[in-house]
Amino acid sequence: MGTPSTVAQLALIVVAVLPGVTYQFMRERLLGSLPGEQAVPERILRALTASVALDAIYVVALAPVIVRLATQGAGIGKDAAKLREAGVLCIALIFVVPAICALLVSKWQLRKREGRYEPIPSAWDRLFRDLSSCFIRARLKDGTWVGGWYGSDSFATAYPRPPELYLELTWDMGADGSFTSCMTKTQGMLLNGADIDVIEILKN
């Protein structure tokens, strides 16, 4: 097999590979990845399997259209109407149809689950994803209380990076975890999630 020499041939190769990638991406966004799919080879294999299944459906349903586009060759590039038709078909087969299939499969699988499943990787990510400005205090594993102000200049890391938290304002803390006074001459505090025993978000 040689390299693709026409727009139609290149489009057919793209359509043959990318639908499964779109399906896998949408499925993970809607349903979350299973423990057995964390490894990259497993995810690639699932995407390729989805591509094969979708391509088989495309061939059965759209065989005449696919053959016509493949045989027209370079003529598509000189005909605006045909080029537009090929572009619309590619968008539908690469993005729209796989996304709809992922949505339907995810809804069907969610109906079979008895409990609520949160596709966000961890509670840490769920907590800080939409957290507004507030005071945060944490008890470290050695019993020490630390805390400060989580504002617009603060941030928290997200999966797959290890949990870390930067507080833009640092406060002196009492032995019982109470806030005593804001520390001066400091540019904030960085907390390692692995050192935290308890973290508490305080309402304004």
Side-chain angles (χ1 to χ4, degrees):
M1 296 180 61
T3 58
S5 57
T6 67
V7 173
Q9 291 174 358
L10 179 60
L12 289 174
I13 293 176
V14 171
V15 169
V17 175
L18 291 186
V21 176
T22 301
Y23 173 87
Q24 178 70 4
F25 173 79
M26 287 299 299
R27 179 184 170 280
E28 290 185 1
R29 292 289 297 178
L30 295 168
L31 195 61
S33 59
L34 299 175
E37 298 174 15
Q38 296 296 329
V40 174
E42 294 291 337
R43 300 172 70 184
I44 294 176
L45 180 60
R46 179 175 285 274
L48 291 177
T49 302
S51 286
V52 172
L54 289 169
D55 291 337
I57 295 174
Y58 295 161
V59 170
V60 172
L62 301 172
V65 178
I66 295 174
V67 171
R68 176 168 57 82
L69 291 176
T71 55
Q72 284 177 343
I76 292 181
K78 301 177 182 179
D79 190 324
K82 293 179 180 179
L83 183 60
R84 185 178 297 109
E85 178 188 0
V88 171
L89 184 63
C90 286
I91 292 174
L93 300 185
I94 294 173
F95 301 107
V96 178
V97 175
I100 293 175
C101 291
L103 177 62
L104 295 176
V105 171
S106 298
K107 285 185 174 295
W108 177 72
Q109 291 182 333
L110 285 173
R111 289 182 60 185
K112 297 172 59 179
R113 292 180 175 177
E114 297 180 357
R116 179 175 178 268
Y117 177 79
E118 177 60 66
I120 297 175
S122 68
W124 180 276
D125 293 80
R126 181 66 180 86
L127 173 63
F128 289 103
R129 187 181 65 170
D130 300 316
L131 185 63
S132 58
S133 298
C134 61
F135 281 100
I136 292 180
R137 62 183 173 192
R139 187 181 68 202
L140 304 182
K141 293 182 178 179
D142 62 1
T144 304
W145 283 95
V146 294
W149 176 252
Y150 183 84
S152 59
D153 292 329
S154 303
F155 64 86
T157 56
Y159 178 86
R161 294 180 58 189
E164 293 180 340
L165 175 63
Y166 169 73
L167 300 177
E168 60 189 73
L169 295 178
T170 306
W171 281 64
D172 281 318
M173 307 290 291
D176 58 351
S178 59
F179 290 83
T180 56
S181 62
C182 183
M183 298 177 62
T184 59
K185 297 183 180 180
T186 174
Q187 293 185 336
M189 174 173 55
L190 181 64
L191 295 175
N192 187 340
D195 298 329
I196 298 175
D197 186 28
V198 176
I199 188 168
E200 185 177 6
I201 311 300
L202 304 180
K203 293 183 178 180
N204 295 330

